Amino acid sequence: MPYEPPTHTVERSLRATTGAKTVAGVDEVGRGAWAGPVTVCAAVTGLRRPPAGLTDSKLISPRRRAELAPVLERWVTAFGLGDASPQEIDELGMTAALRLAAVRALESLPVRPDAVILDGKHDYLGQPWKVRTVIKGDQSCIAVAAASVIAKVHRDTMMAELGAESGEYADFAFGANAGYPSPVHRAALEERGPTPHHRLSWSYLDALPRWQHLKKARFSAEAAALESGGQLGFDF
């Protein structure tokens, strides 16, 4: 299915209306997984023409993503990665865990961005970051598309190493499902129960009577208030 390539339109707008000189595109992967971290990439690209074929990582085949990611890592001006662990997700809830991972990614950049283009509808970053949210930003914005590919390949590689055939968690086939729901993943959970890499506040445990005693409370009252608040900051 044909698609429009991403552009620098949003970044140019931010530069013109806010005076921002350094703009980072931010995207996440792993939000809906049962196991593994949520991973965020922040990418700074400037206004240069991107490598051919760049778009939302979900629209690119796994083989092409693996080829494109190292090209992007060399092409971008800078990129940073941040993870929030399954334990942090259980403790904080997803919104706060996303913010934690995103802040880790942004703070690992060599220069603090003047503005951030955040994929999606909700600003989970909030102050003091200056955020422009863009629905389907991973398809329309070059910096966000680059971040989406780098984040996806980074997390997929991490999960594949965790689920290596010779390893302790081979039965979970993390290399194939990246910690997301799949028949093989569910069967391994029913037989072996969750690993230290699983999110124990997730509802999949409700369907596993043998292991329900391991389920953790969703998250703290403070995190629940933050989660229910939706947007944590502002758009401009």
Side-chain angles (χ1 to χ4, degrees):
M1 183 176 180
Y3 51 84
E4 291 293 323
T7 69
H8 289 301
T9 299
V10 176
E11 183 171 340
R12 291 181 189 278
S13 173
L14 280 172
R15 288 169 175 259
T17 59
T18 71
K21 294 182 179 180
T22 302
V23 179
V26 171
D27 198 17
E28 55 77 22
V29 64
R31 186 191 300 236
W34 289 350
V38 62
T39 297
V40 174
C41 179
V44 178
T45 65
L47 298 175
R48 292 171 298 139
R49 178 175 295 182
L54 176 64
T55 187
D56 172 14
S57 65
K58 296 185 291 296
L59 301 178
I60 306 174
S61 70
R63 179 177 178 178
R64 178 56 182 151
R65 281 198 304 261
E67 294 171 346
L68 186 56
V71 174
L72 289 170
E73 290 179 10
R74 293 189 296 269
W75 172 77
V76 297
T77 303
F79 74 94
L81 288 157
D83 297 316
S85 70
Q87 293 74 28
E88 289 170 329
I89 293 169
D90 287 335
E91 179 180 350
L92 300 172
M94 182 51 73
T95 298
L98 276 171
R99 185 179 196 279
L100 181 64
V103 169
R104 286 169 173 166
L106 287 163
E107 290 186 342
S108 72
L109 293 171
V111 176
R112 184 182 177 93
D114 301 310
V116 174
I117 305 171
L118 187 63
D119 180 54
K121 179 179 181 181
H122 297 297
D123 174 11
Y124 55 76
L125 261 173
Q127 300 184 29
W129 304 94
K130 295 181 179 179
V131 176
R132 171 77 59 83
T133 57
V134 179
I135 296 172
K136 294 187 178 181
D138 46 11
Q139 294 183 35
S140 61
C141 302
I142 287 172
V144 181
S148 78
V149 173
I150 295 171
K152 175 66 173 168
V153 172
H154 170 80
R155 187 179 183 281
D156 282 357
T157 300
M158 183 191 315
M159 296 304 294
E161 291 172 352
L162 187 62
E165 291 184 7
S166 59
E168 181 180 358
Y169 306 115
D171 292 350
F172 292 89
F174 289 141
N177 59 53
Y180 285 85
S182 75
V184 172
H185 191 171
R186 183 182 295 276
L189 275 167
E190 290 176 349
E191 178 64 26
R192 296 186 52 183
T195 72
H197 303 284
H198 279 86
R199 303 169 188 182
L200 298 182
S201 60
W202 251 226
S203 60
Y204 69 84
L205 279 171
D206 294 336
L208 301 172
R210 184 179 172 189
W211 307 107
Q212 280 185 6
H213 65 285
L214 298 176
K215 189 172 181 180
K216 292 186 176 180
R218 178 77 187 216
F219 38 82
S220 68
E222 294 82 0
L226 190 62
E227 183 94 357
S228 64
Q231 293 195 15
L232 303 182
F234 53 87
D235 293 342
F236 68 100

